[in-house]
């Protein structure tokens, strides 16, 4: 038996509240990205908009989720893979289906060009077309 073990430390989140768990579970359940609008709708019976924004910010700072811009400048969030509270490694491109609006993280490498006298830190690449389900 380990005495004095802190069970609630989850990355930088000291106390994992019920609301945080609810939002995290949405990302754990599927690899698809979620727009801020759809997240707010999904949890509207449990928390208000401000809480959702605050939780998303916190989870992003903790390296659990990352955000990017989709079609029409809408903000999307998706689960991170191997990111930490110190650094995100999310230079992968994203894909948005023009038929069903599904958004996915793509696990392909994109070569970022070296630009003279410029330092590239992040890449926001959105590819659009039809997803697997819409193609068949
Ligand atoms: Zn990340
Ligand atoms: Zn589709
Ligand atoms: Zn992604």
């Amino acid at each position: 038996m380990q005495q004095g073990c802190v069970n609630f430390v989850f990355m930088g989140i000291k106390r994992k509240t019920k609301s945080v768990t609810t939002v995290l579970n949405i990302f754990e359940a599927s690899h698809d990205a979620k727009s801020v609008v759809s997240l707010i709708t999904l949890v509207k019976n449990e928390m208000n908009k401000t809480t959702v924004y605050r939780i998303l910010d916190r989870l992003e700072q903790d390296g659990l989720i990352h955000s990017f811009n989709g079609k029409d400048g809408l903000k999307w969030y998706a689960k991170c893979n191997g990111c930490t509270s110190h650094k995100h490694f999310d230079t992968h491109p994203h894909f948005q289906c023009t038929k069903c609006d599904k958004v996915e993280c793509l696990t392909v490498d994109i070569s970022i060009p070296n630009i003279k006298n410029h330092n590239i830190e992040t890449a926001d690449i959105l590819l659009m077309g039809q997803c697997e389900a819409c193609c068949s």
Side-chain angles (χ1 to χ4, degrees):
M1 267 294 278
Q2 249 186 296
Q3 287 293 315
C5 175
V6 183
N7 292 313
F8 299 111
V9 177
F10 191 76
M11 308 297 278
I13 300 169
K14 297 285 179 285
R15 200 168 51 87
K16 211 166 123 194
T17 63
K18 194 173 163 286
S19 306
V20 172
T21 311
T22 304
V23 175
L24 257 183
N25 283 346
I26 296 170
F27 290 103
E28 296 291 339
S30 105
H31 286 285
D32 295 347
K34 299 271 180 284
S35 71
V36 173
V37 179
S38 72
L39 283 163
I40 290 169
T41 312
L42 277 169
V43 299
K44 70 173 189 295
N45 293 327
E46 291 175 60
M47 63 194 95
N48 62 35
K49 220 167 144 172
T50 318
T51 307
V52 178
Y53 283 121
R54 193 170 44 83
I55 292 171
L56 291 172
D57 268 2
R58 207 155 97 175
L59 294 177
E60 188 169 21
Q61 277 171 28
D62 280 344
L64 296 171
I65 58 172
H66 57 280
S67 63
F68 54 93
N69 292 316
K71 203 162 62 133
D72 306 321
L74 207 64
K75 203 170 185 188
W76 290 75
Y77 284 92
K79 223 179 117 178
C80 284
N81 205 337
C83 292
T84 66
S85 55
H86 303 291
K87 200 167 165 56
H88 275 278
F89 307 93
D90 305 295
T91 51
H92 58 266
H94 292 96
F95 177 87
Q96 182 154 22
C97 179
T98 52
K99 281 194 181 171
C100 67
D101 266 352
K102 176 190 162 120
V103 175
E104 304 165 275
C105 292
L106 297 178
T107 50
V108 293
D109 279 328
I110 281 218
S111 64
I112 309 293
N114 280 316
I115 302 162
K116 207 182 162 197
N117 301 326
H118 289 69
N119 175 38
I120 316 283
E121 287 185 333
T122 57
D124 205 347
I125 299 160
L126 183 71
L127 305 172
M128 295 210 272
Q130 286 78 51
C131 75
E132 207 178 344
C134 295
C135 272
S136 52

